[in-house]
Structures are given as C-alpha cells and as structure tokens.
Amino acid sequence: MGGPGDPPEGTPEGAPGGGEDEYRSVVFDESFVRAARLQEYSAAERITDHAPAVRRRPPLHRGLSRQALVLFVLIALAFGTAVYMGVRHPYQNPAARRAVEPLRMTVIPLAPQGAVPGRADPEYLYAHSPAAQYRIGAEGIPLPASRRTAHFSDSQVVTALTTAKDYIVRSSLYPEVLNGQQVRPVRVLIDSDQLDQFDESFTHPAADGRHAPTGWLVRFDPSRAELADHRVRVQGTLQAAEADSSTLEVTADHTFVYALRPAGADAGASASLFTVRRELQFRFDRDDLRLRQTQLTVSYVQAGPLSCAEDSTNHLRPLLAGQIAKAGGPAGTDPYATGGWTALCGSLAGSAQPKV
C-alpha cells in the first residue's frame, strides 16, 4: 500500500521518489520573496477591506549597481585629472613670461677701395674669391652636435637650433625676401611680443638701431640689383647655450656671398660679388620652443661693397661691377648728443674681393 499522498498504483517507475522531491530544486529564499512584485493579502485583510486576493508591491528602491558605481568613479577621476592638468600644465603661463627685449641692430656698410671687380660668369668670380670653398645655400648652415642642458632636454635644444637655422635661411636665402617682395616667411617665426617692432620697421624704417629692415633680413634694392645666381655661398656656425633656467640662447655667425647684376640686365651682363656677414643672437623661452618661434635680440650686420653716402636702412644698395663708392659718408659722432643714432661705415678690404 502506498502512503496517503501516493497514487493507488504506487509511484510510477522512473518518477521522483516522492511528491515533495519534484520541487526540491526550487528555493524561495528571503531575497526572492522580497523581490516579488505581487503580495497576497492576509485573510483578515481580505475580510475587513474586501480587497482582492493579491496586491502589487511598489518597486524596491535599490542602490546604485556596481557598474554604475564604477562608471561614476571613472568620470570623477577624469574630471579631477583635467582640473589638475589645467592648473599644472607643463608650459609657462604667458602672463608670467619675462618681458621680451626689443631687437638691437647695427648695420655697417663696407665701402670698396676701388672699382668693384666684375665678370660675366658668376662661377668664375666665386672660384677666385674667399668663398671658393663655401657651401651652397642651407648646406652652409650645419647644425652642431646638440646636448641637453641643466634645464632643457636634447629635443628642446635641437628645436632651438633648427628654428634659428630656419630663420637664417628664410631671411638670407629666400629669393622673394632678397628681392624685397616678401617679409612674411620671416615674420611668422618672430615671437608675438616682437611683432610690433618688426612691423614698424617695415612701415616706418629708421636708422635708430631699432627699426632697420636690413637688421631683420637681407634685401636688395630691386631697382638696382638682382641675383645673377641663386646658389648663394654660405659659411658659418651655430651655438646653443642655456642663459638661465627658463631661457635658451643661440648665437649665429654666418657669411653670405651673393652674385649680383644690374636690375633688368640680360644674362650676359657682368656680375659682381656682394658679401654680407650676419651675427645674430636668438632667445627662446618654453613658449617659443613649443610654437617654434624666436626672439631676435641682437643683429650685427656688415655688408659690401656699399657706398657710405647712401642709406642702407631699408634696402641694401650694392655697388655693382665697375662702380666705385661715392665720396662722403656719415657725419662725425658727437658723444654728447642724445636721442640720435650714429651711422657707421667701414672699408671693404681688397682681399675680400675676387681676383679677376
């Protein structure tokens, strides 16, 4: 005989060993009960309120899930990092920069001692001049081996040197700059705090040691001379050094030799050599290095053959083949005078001219 709950014929073969065993795998724990959306009224509640057998429970107000909590933490960390980097960004605050010094410039014309030598073939002139072994163009402006300083890395020193070289190339070798058509290739490399001085030099040139275009770049009077050979000969050096913990300085000393002929002359006209020596001093703070710009602080230029009687402030007015310097020159210097700028003039040595 089976038990009270068993089928009359007994438990079917293969079936679970009891009615209760069929639900043994289902567990109604406390969390399951709390999460149920429907709740049965008690007998007393149903009699008193004539309510339905069940009622819908309000949803549980659970806390943030683990994923939401992790997302919140990540957002907070990202925001905190952004604020920190904004306060401690690696570049110097422009408001705290040291004042940029104006460029101090000196342009000295060199007068020839006789007639300027000339020849129709520029190559012949170069081969018989001190520039015979000079390199051509930017190849004559090699970068020195760079080395980090106490406060600047190797890459920062290289950036200062390459920016200085770029300035020299643009201001001394670009044909559109040499013929006076363009100044923008040079201007874009100037620190923004020097742009007013740069612009004023070209809108209102003056021989005051501050506003001579020929102190910023090399350019010839286009009505007088033009390049007979675009392969300018160059030789010189670059040196970088740390001025202080926030400043790098680059010193440049280069000699450029140009072959010139009269403006508008045919290719067979006699050419002559014109020499420009430029000693430049560049300054870089960390903003300049980041922007690849520079502060030009000193420009010392010697150029010839020129006539001391002519103004070399705005353009260089070369003496060409067969020409001689005009008589006259700058007036005597009064050391007691103030507010003026004394024009200087030198003599171009015969050894600096080609042997023709």
Side-chain angles (χ1 to χ4, degrees):
M1 290 286 295
D6 293 335
E9 294 81 9
T11 303
E13 184 178 356
E20 295 181 0
D21 291 342
E22 184 176 355
Y23 301 98
R24 200 171 281 172
S25 61
V26 179
V27 179
F28 298 99
D29 60 9
E30 185 179 353
S31 62
F32 179 85
V33 174
R34 286 202 308 266
R37 299 299 304 276
L38 298 176
Q39 183 183 28
E40 184 179 5
Y41 284 97
S42 66
E45 288 175 325
R46 289 200 299 269
I47 293 173
T48 302
D49 298 333
H50 305 285
V54 297
R55 62 182 173 186
R56 186 175 295 275
R57 299 177 65 184
L60 294 176
H61 296 284
R62 296 185 177 180
L64 291 175
S65 68
R66 179 177 299 178
Q67 293 85 348
L69 182 61
V70 171
L71 181 60
F72 176 79
V73 171
L74 289 176
I75 293 174
L77 285 174
F79 181 77
T81 301
V83 172
Y84 176 79
M85 293 302 293
V87 174
R88 294 286 304 274
H89 78 72
Y91 300 110
Q92 195 175 15
N93 188 340
R97 293 180 67 191
R98 182 171 59 185
V100 174
E101 296 180 9
L103 170 62
R104 295 175 287 113
M105 58 184 71
T106 304
V107 181
I108 301 179
L110 302 177
Q113 299 178 9
V116 176
R119 195 89 172 199
D121 182 11
E123 289 291 341
Y124 181 92
L125 293 174
Y126 281 128
H128 293 79
S129 76
Q133 303 302 319
Y134 284 15
R135 296 182 179 181
I136 296 174
E139 293 182 358
I141 313 173
L143 295 178
S146 61
R147 184 174 300 174
R148 63 175 300 142
T149 67
H151 298 92
F152 292 90
S153 66
D154 286 333
S155 63
Q156 289 175 316
V157 175
V158 169
T159 297
L161 289 168
T162 54
T163 304
K165 175 177 178 176
D166 197 16
Y167 183 94
I168 295 167
V169 168
R170 296 184 184 206
S171 64
S172 308
L173 298 176
Y174 273 24
E176 63 270 29
V177 173
L178 296 176
N179 62 22
Q181 293 180 341
Q182 292 284 339
V183 299
R184 177 172 171 76
V186 180
R187 188 181 187 276
V188 296
L189 294 178
I190 297 294
D191 184 289
S192 59
D193 288 342
Q194 279 192 320
L195 288 179
D196 286 344
Q197 184 187 6
F198 182 92
D199 293 339
E200 189 174 352
S201 297
F202 290 89
T203 56
H204 301 93
D208 59 359
R210 293 288 188 274
H211 301 94
T214 49
W216 294 98
L217 48 81
V218 177
R219 69 174 185 174
F220 303 110
D221 184 344
S223 66
R224 176 169 296 190
E226 63 184 32
L227 289 174
D229 185 354
H230 286 77
R231 296 172 298 174
V232 180
R233 275 36 175 197
V234 186
Q235 180 171 283
T237 60
L238 284 169
Q239 293 182 340
E242 183 177 305
D244 54 49
S245 61
S246 62
T247 310
L248 275 175
E249 286 186 351
V250 174
T251 302
D253 186 354
H254 293 85
T255 300
F256 303 85
V257 184
Y258 307 87
L260 303 177
R261 63 185 172 211
D266 57 44
S270 291
S272 58
L273 298 186
F274 188 86
T275 304
V276 177
R277 180 175 178 180
R278 304 181 76 196
E279 297 179 48
L280 306 176
Q281 188 172 85
F282 302 91
R283 179 172 293 168
F284 300 86
D285 59 24
R286 286 180 169 78
D287 279 345
D288 293 322
L289 295 173
R290 177 172 57 88
L291 298 172
R292 292 186 178 271
Q293 294 179 336
T294 185
Q295 306 166 35
L296 188 59
T297 58
V298 176
S299 173
Y300 182 81
V301 179
Q302 296 175 324
L306 291 169
S307 176
C308 294
E310 295 196 70
D311 184 14
S312 300
T313 301
N314 195 14
H315 292 90
L316 298 175
R317 296 180 170 85
L319 295 175
L320 303 174
Q323 296 180 336
I324 59 174
K326 296 179 180 179
T333 300
D334 180 3
Y336 295 95
T338 60
W341 180 257
T342 302
L344 302 175
C345 186
S347 179
L348 183 63
S351 59
Q353 299 276 41
K355 309 300 181 189
V356 298

